[in-house]
Amino acid sequence: MLGSFCGPSSSKLPPSHQNRIQSSSFFGNAVGIGQSNGAISGIRLGKINIPRRKCAATKRFSTSAVLADVAKDFMAFQANILPKQDADPKIVASIILGGGAGTRLFPLTRRRAKPAVPIGGCYRLIDVPMSNCINSGITKIYILTQFNSQSLNRHIARTYNLGNGVNFGDGFVEVLAATQTSGESGKKWFQGTADAVRQFIWLFEDAKHRHIKNILLLSGDHLYRMDYMDFLQKHINSGADISVSCLPVDESRASDFGLLKIDENGQIRQFLEKPKAESLRSMQVDTTVLGLTAQDGRKSPYIASMGIYLFKTEVLLKLLSWHYPAANDFGSEIIPLAMKDYNVKAYLFDGYWEDIGTIKSFFDANLALTDQLPKFHFYDPLKPIFTSPRFLPPTKIEQCRVLDSIISHGCFLRECSVERSIVGICSRLEYGVELKDTLMMGADNYETEAEIASTLAEGKVPLGVGRDTKIMNCIIDTNARIGKNVVIANKDNVEEADRPSEGFYIRSGITVVLKNSVIKDGTII
């Protein structure tokens, strides 16, 4: 064989052998990358010219060592000349993680899962990743749920189904609820993000899903707009086994995220989940290499994981089932462990993204929607955010002052003032109401004028906000009943308070009026 040939330098191969070698598909002539040249002592592959090395003892050509090098270069060359694979949404399935108990977003998660929390006046958090999937062409979507999932399941069934709502054609949306199965491990609920996916990993071992080459893992409590096909294309082009979407953050928020360090090729070299103190400072990097200005680089010296991961299907199966069957979390366990054996790349996202997993971040992200030039908005005709079609009438406004606010469908506003606030669907604001820096989530239904009169006659509080009530720096959950002459202002600047019997909590200085609660006339908070 040619690979083991090492003959005298003066000897020549027979002409038939020379012709056979020069016409071989291994060499440039057959691949169409240039003619072989017998006068050159080397093997030419396009622009690659590797001279032959001689055996030291006998002065023979050591062809086997050369061919090993050539084979390596040829594979790299072949990768360059073969056509690039285009991102195809048909080979991707998405898994949206419904999240844990939602303690950081409590009390909004007291009766609902995090992805079911209303946002922006008429949407739910789950609508954001769902709409990003639909706008990216991904129609094979699983949603993993465990805690308080009833309202989430109802919203998904009404909005994203095959009969009405958003029609997926041959796609599907399936809710995978935590369940107990046979065996000792089957008696446990989801122990973390990785464990939740592991418990349903058998779905992708089924033959009918053999065409799904990549699995996209998403969180249900983020606000952003992303083209997942761009993410997938860069994942394919880089040859990554795992891609982690990330962006630069400042020091005040860095400890809330998984932080990473990358090399010049985008390879992730270090990953720490929510580091503190010295560990946090050790993760500082020069973010100007990401395209930031020197000033912005100083403000945001950390690279944070967005909790959005793209796995090759076979890699995810191996990691969860074989390599790390006891690992429960992607951010703190699977990703750092996988870096040893797999190609883990960073995908740098340059758009708006907000993790709204806490009351303060949720509140701030909502009010930021009212800015005159908001960083994120729902008004994109090409990439809309879908939600449940409710067929509500337009809002009616009578002699009101509305400044920098969002008023949703089906509301009644009468001689009131609304400033930098969001008023959710089916809300009612009576005469003299003042709303400032407030998120009002609205109601599930109307009360007719006759019902309102009857409720007032019985000394009860109707849905909405009563006469001459003043509210600021507040979140009003759905179906709340706030009486007349109420003041919600937290003038004492209380940071934390638990008053469920009185219908409210205070978190990070923000008053949260509970869902279905009643605030009696004249109450001062």
Side-chain angles (χ1 to χ4, degrees):
M1 295 294 293
L2 179 63
S4 59
F5 177 80
C6 190
S9 58
S10 59
S11 65
K12 294 184 179 179
L13 291 172
S16 60
H17 284 214
Q18 289 183 345
N19 295 336
R20 194 177 305 165
I21 291 172
Q22 291 180 1
S23 63
S24 168
S25 61
F26 184 83
F27 290 89
N29 191 29
V31 188
I33 52 175
Q35 299 293 329
S36 299
N37 190 337
I40 299 176
S41 179
I43 300 173
R44 184 176 177 84
L45 292 180
K47 295 182 179 180
I48 303 172
N49 188 26
I50 305 175
R52 296 182 178 178
R53 292 176 290 182
K54 294 185 177 181
C55 302
T58 62
K59 297 185 179 181
R60 299 178 177 182
F61 291 111
S62 180
T63 317
S64 58
V66 173
L67 290 181
D69 293 336
V70 171
K72 185 189 301 181
D73 289 321
F74 179 71
M75 294 301 292
F77 174 80
Q78 190 179 40
N80 289 330
I81 65 172
L82 290 176
K84 296 289 186 182
Q85 180 185 352
D86 290 332
D88 183 358
K90 294 181 180 179
I91 65 170
V92 184
S94 175
I95 299 177
I96 301 175
L97 302 172
T103 54
R104 296 187 304 157
L105 209 52
F106 185 87
L108 299 179
T109 54
R110 193 172 71 147
R111 294 286 184 267
R112 59 167 77 91
K114 279 196 295 184
V117 174
I119 186 174
C122 63
Y123 301 93
R124 304 278 187 132
L125 285 175
I126 189 66
D127 293 329
V128 174
M130 286 293 302
S131 300
N132 283 333
C133 285
I134 297 168
N135 293 329
S136 300
I138 299 173
T139 58
K140 299 175 179 63
I141 304 170
Y142 294 101
I143 302 167
L144 296 182
T145 65
Q146 177 163 304
F147 293 94
N148 290 329
S149 58
Q150 187 271 335
S151 63
L152 176 61
N153 294 342
R154 183 180 64 229
H155 178 74
I156 293 168
R158 289 178 176 177
T159 310
Y160 308 101
N161 63 71
L162 300 181
N164 46 53
V166 180
N167 194 309
F168 284 93
D170 61 348
F172 58 81
V173 177
E174 293 187 15
V175 175
L176 305 177
T179 184
Q180 292 187 334
T181 58
S182 59
E184 189 63 31
S185 61
K187 296 179 181 179
K188 299 178 181 178
W189 299 110
F190 295 156
Q191 302 300 302
T193 54
D195 183 63
V197 175
R198 181 187 294 110
Q199 291 194 30
F200 285 98
I201 203 68
W202 55 269
L203 285 168
F204 300 100
E205 296 171 342
D206 195 301
K208 69 179 180 180
H209 289 150
R210 63 186 180 277
H211 62 286
I212 295 178
K213 304 299 183 185
N214 298 278
I215 297 177
L216 178 65
L217 299 182
L218 304 171
S219 177
D221 58 354
H222 296 164
L223 182 61
Y224 65 108
R225 184 179 276 108
M226 179 188 285
D227 181 2
Y228 296 140
M229 285 302 98
D230 183 67
F231 188 15
L232 177 61
Q233 189 66 66
K234 288 182 170 58
H235 174 74
I236 293 171
N237 292 348
S238 67
D241 297 312
I242 307 168
S243 291
V244 180
S245 187
C246 58
L247 77 174
V249 295
D250 57 31
E251 187 159 1
S252 64
R253 301 195 303 161
S255 60
D256 294 332
F257 305 109
L259 301 181
L260 50 92
K261 289 184 176 181
I262 61 176
D263 62 18
E264 64 277 5
N265 298 317
Q267 187 91 12
I268 299 178
R269 296 302 181 187
Q270 189 176 356
F271 191 105
L272 286 180
E273 182 71 4
K274 300 179 180 178
K276 309 292 183 184
E278 287 301 321
S279 297
L280 174 63
R281 285 185 284 274
S282 71
M283 295 302 292
Q284 285 190 359
V285 295
D286 179 12
T287 51
T288 58
V289 299
L290 308 180
L292 273 68
T293 64
Q295 182 179 1
D296 290 338
R298 286 191 295 270
K299 290 181 180 178
S300 302
Y302 299 94
I303 303 176
S305 165
M306 296 166 60
I308 299 174
Y309 311 116
L310 189 55
F311 286 80
K312 286 182 178 178
T313 303
E314 59 181 19
V315 171
L316 182 62
L317 293 175
K318 289 177 182 177
L319 287 171
L320 295 180
S321 300
W322 298 101
H323 295 330
Y324 309 110
N328 291 327
D329 189 71
F330 281 108
S332 61
E333 296 176 275
I334 294 293
I335 299 298
L337 291 170
M339 288 164 48
K340 296 184 295 184
D341 302 311
Y342 291 96
N343 184 11
V344 184
K345 289 291 186 73
Y347 169 77
L348 302 174
F349 180 64
D350 60 357
Y352 172 87
W353 174 86
E354 190 64 52
D355 178 2
I356 43 185
T358 66
I359 289 293
K360 179 167 176 52
S361 61
F362 174 79
F363 182 69
D364 291 343
N366 272 277
L367 292 192
L369 298 172
T370 67
D371 294 343
Q372 292 192 16
L373 293 173
K375 294 180 180 178
F376 180 90
H377 60 80
F378 291 95
Y379 309 100
D380 189 332
L382 299 180
K383 297 178 180 179
I385 303 297
F386 300 97
T387 192
S388 176
R390 299 178 179 89
F391 311 110
L392 294 170
T395 285
K396 187 176 182 182
I397 299 176
E398 300 176 358
Q399 301 181 32
C400 299
R401 175 181 177 272
V402 179
L403 180 65
D404 296 338
S405 297
I406 295 174
I407 312 297
S408 300
H409 312 327
C411 298
F412 293 89
L413 281 65
R414 294 173 175 167
E415 298 184 29
C416 59
S417 172
V418 181
E419 183 177 348
R420 197 171 181 260
S421 297
I422 294 179
V423 179
I425 58 172
C426 301
S427 293
R428 182 183 292 271
L429 302 181
E430 292 293 348
Y431 299 95
V433 168
E434 294 181 11
L435 221 62
K436 184 177 181 181
D437 295 332
T438 293
L439 167 61
M440 185 175 182
M441 292 184 177
D444 292 329
N445 48 54
Y446 296 113
E447 284 184 337
T448 65
E449 294 295 336
E451 289 173 333
I452 293 172
S454 175
T455 300
L456 290 172
E458 295 174 4
K460 297 180 181 179
V461 180
L463 280 172
V465 182
R467 286 173 175 260
D468 300 317
T469 288
K470 311 293 188 285
I471 301 175
M472 64 180 298
N473 202 43
C474 181
I475 298 174
I476 305 172
D477 208 337
T478 54
N479 300 326
R481 299 169 182 266
I482 300 177
K484 58 187 178 182
N485 297 311
V486 173
V487 176
I488 303 177
N490 189 16
K491 290 184 178 180
D492 295 332
N493 297 318
V494 176
E495 281 295 305
E496 305 289 327
D498 295 358
R499 303 284 180 83
S501 61
E502 299 176 38
F504 71 92
Y505 285 76
I506 297 178
R507 291 289 182 267
S508 302
I510 302 162
T511 305
V512 182
V513 177
L514 298 176
K515 181 178 180 179
N516 298 322
S517 64
V518 178
I519 307 296
K520 296 180 181 180
D521 296 348
T523 300
I524 297 178
I525 300 176

